[in-house]
Amino acid sequence: MTPSADQGTTWRVALLLALLLVATSAMSPLLGVPVHGRNFGHDSDYALTALSFMDAGWSAGRLWPRWVMETNFGLGGITFYTYPPVGYWAGALLRRVTGLDIPGTLALAVMLWRLVFLLGCFLWLRRHVAPGAALAAAALAALLPYPAVVNPWIRFAYAEVAGAAILPFLLLALERVAEGRDGRGMPALALAFAALAMTHLPTCALVAHLAPLYAWAYAGPRAAMRVLCGGIAGAGLAACFVLPAMGLLRDANFEGLEDGTWEGSLFLYGLPRGDSGWIQFLVIIWSAAALAGLATLAFRRLGGVATRGPLARAALLLLAVSAALMTVVTLPLWVVLPQLRSIEFPWRATTVLTLPLAAMAALALAGGRQAARRLVLGLGLACAVFAPAYLWARVAFGHPDWPRFLPPEERLARAVDSPRGVSSEHLPAWALANGWRMKWNGTETAPAPDPHPRPALPPGTQRLTAGYLVPEANGPLLLPQFWFPAWAAEDGKGEPVAVRPGKDGFLEVAVDRPVHDLRVHIAVTPWEWAGWAITGISAAGLLGFGLWRRRPGLAAAPALAAGGPGRVAG
């Protein structure tokens, strides 16, 4: 077969797999957001309520509603202090562009994030192989069970789906920095790291450990140091979120660090927990088998320059380290590194595994062998069939309410009223200490009764966008919101009034004199001011650095020498 015929065959495989990805992705807006049931839609209710809170904040003029008064059954919570906002910013923007309801917007957003992942993988791999091979490999990676079924359907991990879409763009920026000598791509790399941190922090924490290793394998130790600097710069850009999230951690309630979640999720440490754990375990094993087959094909049978370059070295290392992090082999690292434990579930590394798989498939196709095209096509078809087959089974035998395709208002109301519509991790520590955790022990059942009576609002109190306006107060009073250090109060003359944690975890305003027009509100904390200052300084520094490197008289950096990337005919 001639090279042009080879390319034509590869293009046909690529277009078919890309169309299958579009078709399977389109099932999200077609079927809507799933109703939580056995092994299905675990976080769908939370994603709906979080998007509704962000959308309501935008409507009220709060582009970043860190404290959400409506969550935790109307008692308020730290939702967007500790949960990254970018995925929900994108959802709120999409809602305004399309005019869809909240469930419809969320379902469409899942589809679009999956297509962004396809685009990113294509652009990344296009640097190394011909366009047909790059598109086929990108589509195969996006069709794998974990990104195509587990995250958007079994878990409905909306923010993780969005974070996965950023990963190939991060690798693209990483390789540009690794190949250069003058750091010209550093601002783009820092921006990619910051975007990932503000979209899905566990994925960012995982990638922060793996990216320097990838750069080392790709272009040597100096490249690893440049990527490490890019990560630090990205942390500076994301400081407006990361610094308050870390600084207020002791007043928040984060359960994934020391509760043993990571320990029970390490493969070979013990059996997977729960029904969903077994499903995830099976699809990950399937993905690992596909990786092994492609690696064997690419590196033992095909040979050639395409399998000996920097991408091959870096992909193999990324594959090995990502897989090892999911097993008990790396238990000592999980014990000594608290930032790893913040990932909560080691099997989240499966998202990263899709990237070396894409690289393996692209390099295999670049070798021009018919066997490679058949294997890629066969795996893609199998994955594309698995998604609708699984969803058909869920509609036919799953949760009894889902086949009825609940109207948007009913679907959102069900999410808001469900214990799964809020996260106990967004319950402030003071509320947790006063026994409020019990309300989150259910799944789809009605929440447990309040462990303590809720304070009544003083007569005439007006509810503000993020607080209250009390016309008259003559002594200390409790308000029906949980205490958190961001609360502040002033009287009608602008004089501060002390606030403090009150009885049963509620917010107490320590009024010690007759006060008129008492305004109780969420204020900007010192951690937020510091975070925004660091973000501004980092942005200005990176902008100046980028402009300086683009000066006309500055010599361009030499290309990566031996084994540098280049397009390979496929």
Side-chain angles (χ1 to χ4, degrees), residues 392-442:
W392 173 83
R394 296 308 311 171
V395 172
F397 305 109
H399 197 290
D401 283 337
W402 194 43
R404 300 173 192 165
F405 300 99
L406 300 175
E409 297 80 6
E410 185 179 345
R411 179 66 188 92
L412 181 59
R414 181 185 187 122
V416 171
D417 293 338
S418 166
R420 299 195 66 90
V422 291
S423 172
S424 59
E425 292 183 3
H426 300 164
L427 186 70
W430 192 260
L432 185 73
N434 280 269
W436 286 90
R437 177 67 174 82
M438 62 178 293
K439 289 183 68 65
W440 287 261
N441 290 334

Side-chain angles (χ1 to χ4, degrees), residues 15 33 55 86 128 136 138 181 192 208 216 218 241 249 259 271 312 338 349-350 352 397 407 442 445 471 501 526 548:
L15 291 175
V33 180
D55 180 73
V86 166
H128 303 277
R181 295 291 185 270
W216 189 301
Y218 189 85
F241 164 70
L249 194 61
D259 69 347
L271 296 178
T350 311
V352 181
F397 305 109
T445 58
W548 178 70

Side-chain angles (χ1 to χ4, degrees), residues 34-283:
V35 173
H36 172 71
R38 184 176 174 84
N39 302 331
F40 203 57
H42 286 270
D43 293 331
S44 58
D45 288 341
Y46 171 76
L48 282 168
T49 56
L51 180 55
S52 70
F53 295 151
M54 179 65 77
D55 180 73
W58 278 32
S59 298
R62 300 174 66 209
L63 297 182
W64 194 345
R66 294 192 192 242
W67 178 270
V68 177
M69 293 184 65
E70 296 78 15
T71 193
N72 290 328
F73 309 104
L75 292 173
I78 56 176
T79 301
F80 292 114
Y81 278 104
T82 57
Y83 206 83
V86 166
Y88 293 97
W89 280 344
L93 178 61
L94 182 63
R95 173 164 158 75
R96 277 151 181 76
V97 170
T98 63
L100 293 171
D101 50 73
I102 294 293
T105 299
L106 189 62
L108 179 61
V110 170
M111 172 185 173
L112 294 178
W113 283 119
R114 292 183 60 190
L115 296 181
V116 170
F117 176 79
L118 172 69
L119 174 63
C121 282
F122 170 75
L123 294 175
W124 163 52
L125 295 172
R126 178 65 184 90
R127 309 181 70 243
H128 303 277
V129 299
L135 181 60
L140 173 63
L143 284 167
L144 274 178
Y146 192 80
V149 176
V150 174
N151 266 350
W153 293 106
I154 295 178
R155 298 180 60 222
F156 201 82
Y158 170 70
E160 191 165 337
V161 171
I166 297 174
L167 288 180
F169 292 97
L170 189 149
L171 285 186
L172 177 61
L174 181 155
E175 290 181 1
R176 290 186 180 277
V177 168
E179 293 162 10
R181 295 291 185 270
D182 61 356
R184 185 169 299 187
M186 192 68 72
L189 179 60
L191 184 62
F193 269 117
L196 183 59
M198 295 187 67
T199 302
H200 193 248
L201 200 53
T203 299
C204 186
L206 179 64
V207 172
H209 293 79
L210 301 179
L213 298 176
Y214 183 92
W216 189 301
Y218 189 85
R222 290 186 178 180
M225 290 302 299
R226 287 194 291 272
V227 168
L228 187 60
C229 291
I232 295 173
L237 282 180
C240 58
F241 164 70
V242 175
L243 192 62
M246 295 177 60
L248 296 169
L249 194 61
R250 67 185 184 89
D251 296 296
N253 163 38
F254 182 66
E255 298 181 329
L257 194 62
E258 304 296 347
D259 69 347
T261 301
W262 60 272
E263 184 179 303
S265 301
L266 282 172
F267 294 143
L268 307 180
Y269 185 93
L271 296 178
R273 292 181 178 176
D275 298 321
S276 62
W278 279 107
I279 290 180
Q280 291 153 12
F281 180 76
L282 292 175
V283 297

Side-chain angles (χ1 to χ4, degrees), residues 4 22 51 83 163 308 349 375 390 402 416 456 500 541 569:
S4 60
V22 172
L51 180 55
Y83 206 83
R308 295 198 297 267
L375 179 58
Y390 176 83
W402 194 43
V416 171
R500 62 194 180 197

